[in-house]
Amino acid sequence: MSLELEELYQEVILDHSRRPRNFGELAKTDVLVHGDNPACGDEIHLGVQFGTNDTLQDIKFSGHGCAISRASASMMTTKLKGKSRREATEILRAFQGLVTGEGTEQSKQLGDLRLFQGVRKFPQRVKCAMLAWRAVEQALAQTPGEATVSTETGLSNP
Ligand code: ZN
């Protein structure tokens, strides 16, 4: 492992990848999104239950993948749980900007998620880090039901 790559696996990320938070299945799921990152072999099944005032009342994920994809999903669910759709979308855009290096959004609200900034040097790792976020982007965009997203296709062009 290169020194640069080692910097990615900081303590917080390792901890989340080993003991993912919000891992499992929801008792009640409004939207279920299956995400796939064939470049690495990561898979995620993201369940969201929306609350009465349009919040992400509960959010859980299952599946398997590399440390980065698991940690990203774990930290994402921790961050987005209880947030409104609007807040979740803002955080999603900020995170996307952070890992791709293309964002102009403020990253203050990202907190620990800023640790993922290092992945922007590794395009394959950006896909790993973004998988869960693409899944939640789809979940936010659709009406109740099930959907599939992949890092190899754009959301607007499935
Ligand atoms: Zn991966």
Side-chain angles (χ1 to χ4, degrees):
M1 202 183 289
S2 75
L3 201 64
E4 271 188 321
L5 201 54
E6 272 180 315
E7 286 171 14
L8 285 179
Y9 294 89
Q10 297 181 41
E11 203 173 327
V12 176
I13 292 179
L14 266 181
D15 180 54
H16 275 270
S17 73
R18 285 177 182 150
R19 297 184 302 117
R21 321 299 197 266
N22 304 307
F23 191 84
E25 286 172 22
L26 292 173
K28 179 182 176 293
T29 305
D30 291 321
V31 179
L32 181 62
V33 180
H34 307 284
D36 173 37
N37 176 23
C40 179
D42 308 319
E43 279 181 21
I44 187 175
H45 311 288
L46 184 79
V48 180
Q49 183 190 349
F50 290 102
T52 45
N53 45 359
D54 221 21
T55 56
L56 284 75
Q57 185 176 316
D58 210 352
I59 177 166
K60 277 192 176 179
F61 76 102
S62 60
H64 60 88
C66 65
I68 291 287
S69 70
R70 285 165 66 90
S72 182
S74 173
M75 291 170 75
M76 179 194 80
T77 55
T78 306
K79 190 77 182 174
L80 297 189
K81 196 168 172 176
K83 294 285 193 292
S84 69
R85 279 176 189 263
R86 187 198 169 105
E87 289 169 323
T89 304
E90 282 171 10
I91 294 167
L92 159 69
R93 295 290 169 229
F95 184 80
Q96 196 165 26
L98 177 85
V99 298
T100 60
E102 291 163 1
T104 53
E105 306 255 356
Q106 296 292 320
S107 61
K108 273 180 290 186
Q109 58 188 330
L110 291 175
D112 280 350
L113 287 166
R114 279 178 294 185
L115 291 173
F116 285 94
Q117 185 172 341
V119 304
R120 70 169 65 154
K121 285 176 279 183
F122 309 97
Q124 293 301 319
R125 295 280 133 184
V126 170
K127 292 181 181 179
C128 300
M130 279 305 299
L131 178 61
W133 297 83
R134 277 177 163 265
V136 84
E137 182 177 36
Q138 178 62 39
L140 289 166
Q142 76 166 51
T143 50
E146 239 176 285
T148 305
V149 292
S150 172
T151 56
E152 298 303 300
T153 53
L155 277 178
S156 54
N157 220 353

